[in-house]
Amino acid sequence: MSKWTKNSWENFTVKHIPEYKDKDALKKALKKIEKFPPLVFAGECNILKEKLASAVEGKAFLIQGGDCAESFKEFNANSIRDTFRVILQMSAIFTAKMKVPVIKVGRIAGQFAKPRSSDFETVNDKTLPSYFGDSINSIEFSEQKREPNPSRLLRAYSQSASTLNLIRSFAQGGFANLRKVNSWNMGFVKATPEGKKYEKIANQINEYLDFIEAIGVNISSVDYLNSVDFYTSHEALHLPFESALTRTDSISGKTFATSSHMVWIGDRTRFVDSAHVEYCSGINNPIGIKCGPSLDPKELIKIIDKINPDNEPGKISLIFRYGKNKVRKYLPGLIDEITKNGKKVLWVSDPMHGNTIKSSSGLKTRDFSSLLNETSEAIKILKDKGCHLGGIHLEMTGQNVTECTGGIYKLSDEDLNSRYHTHCDPRLNANQALELSFNIAEELQG
Ligand code: PEP
Ligand code: CO
């Protein structure tokens, strides 16, 4: 076995990384990125790993959520704030019901590159490269715009840096103060049944805070009541970009991806000889592994052995995404194989990616009830096997979009066109994200 380096993935099977026509321009862009400051600090990644390890023991719960694909066009402060605050609201719901801390991880500040089922797209007899995410090419269907353009990597870095900067301000600067728990309820959510249900939890939290203040605790001096830890994550797909941001921590001498705190390996790049598995085997960040119907559990054991040879808890989160009709067929076998081999993993349900359908208008959508079904089913399966669901992975936004059908407002196929803004897969809107949270948290409470 040859030695791992941040570029050793080049000797493995590379899939879903675009070919650039102008190789020189790519090299130049990557050289620049190599000199840019890291986006995250190794110590933060270690703390996240410790928190995920406590979730493996059932003492915490992971919420990982955000856009399927971040875009340059939808980049603005309000949309970052709204995603951040829905995740805070969801956390309040899960903590209130489950009585454990919630680990908050955004699919944000770096979620730009997308694997596609086809390399090409044909519209009106014209065939062009598919859209691979804003860090690679544009969603606009023209020859020039669809050509992978290395300068987009620089823009993705810069957008990630400013997004993370704002998130850090929100997390530490007062916005996330628990006393503001009521104010996280947004205008368009407030009047809805979920908004009202949320208000009840928020009022309860405020009563607890009144109580602890009354017994003499000075709330403003308690850090964890005034701020939150919020982490970032994305699929480590564009390995040239990831390598350029891979750094050695000066304190521990260990290597980290510094593009975000946690990264994951997608369902299409998760196989033994994969370049993506090789890359992830050398970094010390927590790693997610997507598990879909094509996964052979025995192959997964080999992948885990490579990425986490010391079986460190918190290192590996298995983000399974089978679909509501397949979860019963595949999840039990996966759990058995993991248990038999004594692997310490966090079980995370992604009810989005196995439940994508085409609506009557041709738009990709997901029905709320399918998502809920898959996660509910998974909770039962894991429990029957003596394991537990440790987190959820959602494509969601704080915006009032119409991309997924169903939910309490019974969004229909006809409603989708009204506010369908996603650059890739359909996201839950704020109401749907809260509704799903209430449902899942109540099941887990039992
Ligand atoms: C995603 O998370 O956006 C994604 C592409 O998922 P998967 O790799 O599970 O299909
Ligand atoms: Co997606």
Side-chain angles (χ1 to χ4, degrees):
M1 212 166 53
S2 55
K3 196 173 163 319
W4 185 92
T5 68
K6 63 181 184 170
N7 292 312
S8 56
W9 57 266
E10 288 169 0
N11 305 321
F12 288 74
T13 307
V14 179
K15 286 195 182 166
H16 294 282
I17 298 181
E19 274 290 327
Y20 288 83
K21 268 192 188 150
D22 191 345
K23 301 251 177 332
D24 241 22
L26 175 66
K27 246 192 208 155
K28 275 189 192 141
L30 294 172
K31 274 264 166 298
K32 276 191 188 158
I33 295 169
E34 270 174 20
K35 296 209 172 74
F36 288 166
L39 292 171
V40 301
F41 166 58
E44 296 173 318
C45 305
N46 289 331
I47 296 173
L48 173 59
K49 213 193 292 173
E50 281 167 23
K51 290 185 184 207
L52 293 168
S54 75
V56 173
E57 287 179 33
K59 293 179 184 155
F61 189 76
L62 167 70
I63 295 179
Q64 189 173 23
D67 290 331
C68 176
E70 288 176 271
S71 74
F72 297 162
K73 189 166 159 235
E74 281 203 27
F75 173 47
N76 62 65
N78 288 356
S79 100
I80 298 165
R81 179 200 60 204
D82 292 346
T83 298
F84 179 79
R85 85 172 147 191
V86 179
I87 293 181
L88 290 187
Q89 286 187 287
M90 293 163 70
S91 304
I93 294 167
F94 276 94
T95 298
K97 302 280 175 197
M98 292 177 70
K99 311 281 187 285
V100 294
V102 166
I103 308 160
K104 296 167 263 301
V105 180
R107 279 177 69 112
I108 202 165
Q111 174 55 18
F112 288 101
K114 301 305 298 171
R116 303 312 302 264
S117 35
S118 167
D119 280 351
F120 295 96
E121 185 182 350
T122 303
V123 177
N124 299 332
D125 289 341
K126 193 172 174 176
T127 300
L128 292 177
S130 295
Y131 167 62
F132 297 113
D134 270 12
S135 64
I136 294 156
N137 59 2
S138 165
I139 199 162
E140 276 178 63
F141 195 75
S142 81
E143 213 157 309
Q144 191 217 348
K145 295 280 170 89
R146 281 291 170 95
E147 193 53 47
N149 178 349
S151 73
R152 289 180 157 264
L153 294 170
L154 302 174
R155 189 159 169 199
Y157 172 89
S158 133
Q159 182 168 323
S160 301
S162 11
T163 302
L164 190 54
N165 182 51
L166 190 61
I167 288 175
R168 290 191 193 278
S169 313
F170 286 146
Q172 307 295 327
F175 185 88
N177 183 320
L178 202 51
R179 268 292 187 205
K180 303 230 167 89
V181 62
N182 292 84
S183 73
W184 301 336
N185 223 358
M186 281 173 279
F188 68 90
V189 176
K190 233 178 184 157
T192 67
E194 304 82 58
K196 294 207 173 98
K197 236 171 142 182
Y198 175 76
E199 204 71 37
K200 264 194 196 160
I201 288 185
N203 290 340
Q204 250 172 17
I205 292 173
N206 263 315
E207 277 176 32
Y208 296 142
L209 293 177
D210 288 343
F211 173 77
I212 38 182
E213 250 176 356
I215 59 171
V217 176
N218 177 3
I219 288 185
S220 58
S221 68
V222 184
D223 272 357
Y224 60 82
L225 297 175
N226 293 291
S227 61
V228 293
D229 292 331
F230 194 97
Y231 300 95
T232 57
S233 70
H234 61 261
E235 178 173 351
L237 186 67
H238 197 296
L239 296 182
F241 178 85
E242 298 299 337
S243 302
L245 278 173
T246 300
R247 308 287 160 83
T248 304
D249 172 32
S250 57
I251 299 170
S252 63
K254 290 184 173 169
T255 306
F256 286 82
T258 65
S259 57
S260 72
H261 300 106
M262 177 179 184
V263 293
W264 73 84
I265 301 169
D267 195 51
R268 296 165 181 82
T269 47
R270 177 226 58 236
F271 52 95
V272 165
D273 187 50
S274 154
H276 293 81
V277 171
E278 168 68 10
Y279 171 74
C280 286
S281 71
I283 54 174
N284 282 274
N285 309 58
I287 306 285
I289 304 178
K290 291 288 201 100
C291 303
S294 67
L295 171 67
D296 168 4
K298 291 201 164 49
E299 186 174 17
L300 181 65
I301 298 298
K302 290 186 193 151
I303 293 171
I304 294 178
D305 280 337
K306 177 165 174 167
I307 299 179
N308 190 23
D310 298 332
N311 206 12
E312 185 190 2
K315 173 75 189 179
I316 303 276
S317 297
L318 295 183
I319 309 170
F320 55 88
R321 28 85 82 221
Y322 290 117
K324 71 166 170 87
N325 296 325
K326 295 189 178 159
V327 64
R328 203 138 288 264
K329 180 167 175 203
Y330 294 108
L331 184 59
L334 180 63
I335 300 171
D336 289 345
E337 196 62 29
I338 291 290
T339 309
K340 193 174 87 189
N341 287 277
K343 299 296 178 206
K344 290 180 187 138
V345 300
L346 184 67
W347 293 102
V348 180
S349 166
D350 164 1
M352 315 300 291
H353 289 89
N355 291 306
T356 314
I357 51 170
K358 236 190 190 141
S359 72
S360 48
S361 60
L363 290 169
K364 272 202 278 185
T365 190
R366 290 155 172 162
D367 190 57
F368 185 85
S369 64
S370 313
L371 311 186
L372 192 54
N373 277 352
E374 173 165 357
T375 303
S376 303
E377 199 64 15
I379 291 172
K380 292 187 199 94
I381 296 169
L382 281 159
K383 201 169 167 202
D384 286 348
K385 299 263 180 203
C387 303
H388 64 273
L389 185 72
I392 46 169
H393 181 114
L394 303 177
E395 289 185 338
M396 45 162 284
T397 167
Q399 308 296 298
N400 193 12
V401 297
T402 53
E403 297 171 6
C404 291
T405 56
I408 216 156
Y409 287 97
K410 301 192 170 57
L411 282 186
S412 67
D413 275 8
E414 289 72 52
D415 296 320
L416 293 179
N417 260 318
S418 113
R419 291 181 303 281
Y420 194 94
H421 300 310
T422 183
H423 268 52
C424 197
D425 290 336
R427 303 162 294 179
L428 293 169
N429 62 30
N431 275 316
Q432 290 169 325
L434 293 186
E435 187 180 348
L436 195 74
S437 299
F438 274 114
N439 280 289
I440 297 173
E442 274 160 17
E443 266 181 60
L444 287 167
Q445 177 183 29

